Amino acid sequence: MKTTLFYIGIVLALLVSSCSKILDTTPQDFVSPVNYYNTESDLQSALAGVYDRLGDNRVYGQGMSCYMVFSDEFFMKNQTSGINANIVDASTLEVNRHWESIYTGIERANMLLDNMDKAVKVSEEKRNEIKGQALFLRAYYYFLLTDEFGAVPLKLESTKTPEEPPLPATPVKDIYERIVADMKLAEGMVKSVADYGYNTRITKTTVQGVLARVYLTMAGFPLNDVAKYADAKAYAEKVMQSGLHGLNPDFKQIYINHVQEIFDTRENLWEVEFKGQNKGEIQEGGMIGSYNGITCGIIDIGYGYDYVHATAKLYNAYANGDQRKDWTVAPFRYVTTGTTAVKTNWAADQIYDRSNGKWRREYELNLPRDQSYNATNWPLLRYADVLLMYAEADNYVNSGPSAEAYKAINAVRRRGYGKDVLVPDVQADAPANLSQPDFLDLIRNERLRELAFEGLRKHDLVRWGIYPTVMQAQVREYQANMPAALKDAAIAQAQRVTDRAVLFPIPNSELAVNPNIKQNTGW
């Protein structure tokens, strides 16, 4: 890692922006810290490079929307080889590139943090705004790495020479302490989303919402520090009391907005912004809705690769009247004949044939469409998630759900049923007087229904300490109920989720240059 990051730092080919709202300057190549980081434009360009790694194909552009987050909500149709089949080892290209991409983001953040005080003509307020975002992004990248790989090298300064000794892995607890410290520092530096009007920059409520997620993770596996439930509740409550966020009354509109590059800052606290179609312009398209979207063989309509299919567990989790079902799990596909495609509904018993329906390419405005790439944004934090995190933390802190926890989860449920979120509804509202374990079970299922296909389910199952157990139950479900044409590949994918799969293997690209790090157990 050290040699790679050194040359990344010197060349600084970090300025290819994925975010039109983050970078308004012309990218430059082959600059060094000696003559850089002097102006606000320099700092903003460097910051854009830190953000840029979020949109990498092996991060949120593709990997973390499907093949890196296998769970009980989806399987990859008839995929029998490579990472699409959940076949992973230390040499897997996508895992190596994922690690390298995130550490590139960390190195870029370190370079900016190490050098930004050179910009003496930039106001302290502006430098703090940029510094807060860089601190948060570095912490967020470490949150991803630790969640996925466990103990990893904690590097907090940029590489100055390739002769620097490689770092050993830092204990998970220590990494989380640094994540929390940096995020709390960032909270006091970054601006409000009201100052921007878009949600691809880090803002105060974004920091607070992600801190709630970090604390919930610390409360669960592997640290099991249950005192952190109170912190998770407090930070979720900060977002709720800010007055800046609320639920979009129309569930499907959340995802239409993502496809059409409409910034709904009330529902969506933070998004990865994609732009263009990777056709030579200095923009970064993603594959949301193509790699993980509705089956379609015609580019003009919106090509879908037919990979990510819903499970019966997800489909059946929705009760009658829950409008999220037919938007989340597409009730149709496009049947292609020659150069034409006809929208065709699935039969009632064709559950496992159905695709992820959240990001529908028919709504794209950037025409003509590309087969793979588009400008659909990816949600990193939604207000519904904040409400559900609050309810989960409250349930633990109070040894059962308070009225406020019920209020939070019922708002999410009412919106799902197309109801007014403020008005009690017999059909939508959660059963009253649930015990602490029963309310937790409700939360687990509500997060499945609300956040399906948004890359969080595996994370949730891991922090609840039930990932292998749940996936082995999926094996039995597939064996019993999945159509013969689909079951063999899906069974094999789920069977590979054993205790060792809670963490990815440390990549060979790191092991080859770092004698001070050990491979994860079982790999």
Side-chain angles (χ1 to χ4, degrees):
M1 180 179 70
K2 60 186 175 65
T3 303
T4 301
L5 294 183
F6 174 73
Y7 287 110
I8 288 168
I10 294 301
V11 176
L12 241 170
L14 54 75
L15 305 175
V16 179
S17 173
S18 66
C19 303
S20 60
K21 297 295 188 296
I22 292 172
L23 177 60
D24 296 319
T25 58
T26 303
Q28 306 167 49
D29 291 329
F30 302 102
V31 294
S32 81
V34 175
N35 56 15
Y36 203 65
Y37 303 106
N38 294 317
T39 68
E40 182 180 338
S41 177
D42 290 346
L43 298 184
Q44 294 286 9
S45 294
L47 179 62
V50 184
Y51 276 98
D52 175 72
R53 293 299 79 199
L54 293 169
D56 186 85
N57 259 5
R58 272 68 179 224
V59 188
Y60 290 110
Q62 183 186 94
M64 295 187 72
S65 64
C66 42
Y67 55 69
M68 299 197 75
V69 289
F70 271 94
S71 77
D72 57 343
E73 67 191 354
F74 76 90
F75 65 99
M76 298 289 273
K77 180 185 174 184
N78 292 335
Q79 297 298 297
T80 59
S81 63
I83 198 166
N84 271 356
N86 202 21
I87 298 173
V88 172
D89 61 29
S91 67
T92 300
L93 175 64
E94 290 80 4
V95 174
N96 281 258
R97 293 284 175 83
H98 180 76
W99 171 284
E100 292 163 6
S101 185
I102 293 177
Y103 266 112
T104 298
I106 290 169
E107 179 70 2
R108 293 174 180 181
N110 283 336
M111 290 193 70
L112 175 56
L113 292 167
D114 286 352
N115 290 281
M116 66 182 307
D117 288 341
K118 292 170 53 181
V120 294
K121 294 183 180 180
V122 179
S123 70
E124 183 178 3
E125 179 184 6
K126 179 59 66 175
R127 275 187 287 144
N128 280 341
E129 178 191 347
I130 294 169
K131 181 178 180 180
Q133 293 174 74
L135 279 169
F136 175 87
L137 286 167
R138 184 179 69 181
Y140 185 76
Y141 286 137
Y142 275 119
F143 178 47
L144 295 181
L145 285 170
T146 305
D147 195 43
E148 296 168 337
F149 295 95
V152 299
L154 181 64
K155 191 171 186 295
L156 300 174
E157 294 182 355
S158 60
T159 302
K160 308 301 189 298
T161 167
E163 280 71 46
E164 290 181 15
L167 297 174
T170 300
V172 170
K173 183 177 184 293
D174 295 344
I175 297 175
Y176 270 106
E177 288 176 356
R178 184 63 192 227
I179 290 168
V180 167
D182 281 355
M183 287 188 177
K184 284 185 173 181
L185 188 58
E187 181 188 6
M189 293 181 167
V190 299
K191 298 174 73 173
S192 165
V193 68
D195 294 317
Y196 295 119
Y198 51 91
N199 50 21
T200 54
R201 275 191 184 265
I202 306 304
T203 63
K204 191 176 296 291
T205 46
T206 296
V207 176
Q208 292 163 350
V210 173
L211 267 168
R213 182 179 293 169
V214 169
Y215 278 127
L216 268 186
T217 306
M218 296 173 74
F221 179 87
L223 296 181
N224 297 309
D225 183 358
V226 296
K228 295 298 186 288
Y229 279 113
D231 296 306
K233 178 183 175 183
Y235 272 89
E237 200 165 28
K238 282 187 177 187
V239 178
M240 294 160 63
Q241 293 177 349
S242 70
L244 294 169
H245 303 286
L247 296 174
N248 189 314
D250 186 349
F251 179 75
K252 68 178 183 296
Q253 192 61 43
I254 299 167
Y255 308 97
I256 296 173
N257 288 343
H258 293 156
V259 174
Q260 296 186 341
E261 302 176 86
I262 296 171
F263 295 103
D264 173 7
T265 61
R266 287 189 60 77
E267 172 80 38
N268 292 292
L269 280 73
W270 186 25
E271 297 176 5
V272 179
E273 184 181 5
F274 292 100
K275 200 74 178 172
Q277 299 173 333
N278 283 14
K279 291 184 178 295
E281 67 268 48
I282 304 175
Q283 296 176 341
E284 185 172 53
M287 298 184 72
I288 311 305
S290 62
Y291 205 86
N292 63 341
I294 296 173
T295 304
C296 180
I298 302 296
I299 294 174
D300 289 345
I301 293 175
Y303 198 91
Y305 281 93
D306 198 25
Y307 287 147
V308 177
H309 279 237
T311 62
K313 179 175 182 175
L314 172 61
Y315 183 81
N316 292 326
Y318 298 98
N320 290 336
D322 193 331
Q323 297 178 5
R324 293 173 295 187
K325 173 189 278 189
D326 282 343
W327 189 264
T328 301
V329 183
F332 64 88
R333 78 286 198 191
Y334 290 96
V335 176
T336 303
T337 304
T339 59
T340 64
V342 178
K343 184 183 287 190
T344 306
N345 289 333
W346 293 109
D349 62 346
Q350 292 178 298
I351 295 174
Y352 282 108
D353 295 283
R354 302 175 189 227
S355 307
N356 169 11
K358 277 191 167 177
W359 297 278
R360 304 188 178 190
R361 300 197 66 190
E362 64 190 89
Y363 291 95
E364 288 178 15
L365 301 178
N366 191 6
L367 303 176
R369 294 181 175 90
D370 181 77
Q371 177 169 320
S372 297
Y373 292 98
N374 56 45
T376 296
N377 287 357
W378 178 256
L380 291 173
L381 180 64
R382 292 201 287 114
Y383 188 62
D385 187 6
V386 173
L387 293 177
L388 294 176
M389 288 192 291
Y390 173 85
E392 181 179 348
D394 177 272
N395 182 52
Y396 187 90
V397 169
N398 293 312
S399 301
S402 69
E404 291 303 308
Y406 267 104
K407 181 179 177 181
I409 195 170
N410 282 336
V412 175
R413 289 176 60 84
R414 289 168 191 166
R415 193 264 302 274
Y417 282 78
K419 309 292 186 178
D420 187 324
V421 300
L422 299 177
V423 178
D425 185 87
V426 173
Q427 183 185 29
D429 286 358
N433 302 316
L434 290 174
S435 66
Q436 184 186 49
D438 287 344
F439 194 80
L440 176 58
D441 190 57
L442 174 67
I443 287 288
R444 288 174 173 175
N445 288 319
E446 201 59 46
R447 290 185 67 82
L448 172 64
R449 287 184 282 264
E450 177 69 23
L451 303 170
F453 301 124
E454 296 184 32
L456 291 172
R457 182 64 175 176
K458 176 186 174 183
H459 167 80
D460 283 344
L461 295 175
V462 169
R463 68 181 178 85
W464 290 326
I466 58 175
Y467 183 44
T469 302
V470 166
M471 293 306 291
Q472 293 308 308
Q474 284 299 109
V475 171
R476 297 188 291 273
E477 157 64 22
Y478 297 156
Q479 289 170 334
N481 298 312
M482 185 174 273
L486 300 174
K487 71 165 51 178
D488 287 349
I491 288 169
Q493 292 165 22
Q495 281 179 330
R496 295 185 179 106
V497 181
T498 57
D499 287 344
R500 75 170 189 171
V502 170
L503 296 176
F504 284 126
I506 302 298
N508 281 345
S509 59
E510 179 68 15
L511 295 172
V513 298
N514 188 350
N516 298 321
I517 195 167
K518 296 180 180 179
Q519 184 55 275
N520 285 328
T521 302
W523 295 103

